[in-house]
Amino acid sequence: MKLDYATLISPYPFYLERIGGIKSPTLKEIWSPDMTYQNYQMCITLLLMTPQNYCEQIDKTKRNWYQSLSEKRKQQLNMMDIIAMNKSLQQSYSKMFNFFFVENVFWDNVNQVFFVTKENIFYDEDNQVFYSYNDKGKKIQTNDYGIIHRNIFVDLCDIILQRCGIVRSDTETDTSKVKNKRALEILKKLQKGRENISKTDKSDKDINLPNLITSVAVKSNSINFTNIWDLTVFQLYEQFKKEQTNVYFDIQKMSVAAYGNE
């Protein structure tokens, strides 16, 4: 699901029916003591994680298990399958989702899904029901909660990444969603090419968030180190792009003023 530009630049949450509200975090929230920039980077890593990445690079004890799977099973594998087997991942992904969701998110090991609940909704683990209290303080069962299951997990992660100004590359595309055999072969070739390029490319330190913040705060006529923290992370990326455009336009103006044009 691709979000439209109006949604991406909005400071308000984007609501998915029967799931919850996803926000684009502000820089203030990212740098807050409850999150910190380092933990935010870890959140992005979790959102980009694939079963192959995890088994071959993160938890290498699962490398042999993963490589022993048939190609068909590998294509069907979803990060939710990996999360269901690992308590530490359940906690990490719950914490990550809680940062991006307006509601509360927690993992339920019985149903092997993430539940999304409002502050006034509670979960009875023994009876597997959600409940709240009415105006008279009486306990009542409710269906006002969301569910993150394996079928929507990848799309949900992509939506959160979009709200953070990040597009998942072809090397991280979920092959389990590709049904056409020919399309799958083409995708694998693209992935292999991207992987080879990524091995030789070095990360550009000039475009990480701290440097972007400094660049925008110093260059902008209206944004400074005092008010920049109120921007969402997506708005920061867009502001940086606009500032780059303005710089190029200024250079062109100076060139025309000095030498004229055709």
Side-chain angles (χ1 to χ4, degrees), residues 7 20 63 67 79 111 117 127 130 159 164 167-168 186 215 233 242:
T7 299
R63 177 183 291 177
Q67 292 179 346
M79 267 310 294
N111 298 288
T117 66
N127 297 316
F130 288 89
I159 289 172
C164 296
V167 178
R168 190 189 296 267
I186 295 173
S215 298
V233 63
K242 298 302 181 186

Side-chain angles (χ1 to χ4, degrees), residues 222-236:
S222 59
I223 297 175
N224 52 54
F225 281 116
T226 300
N227 59 21
I228 197 170
W229 305 102
D230 293 325
L231 293 178
T232 67
V233 63
F234 186 88
Q235 290 170 349
L236 174 70

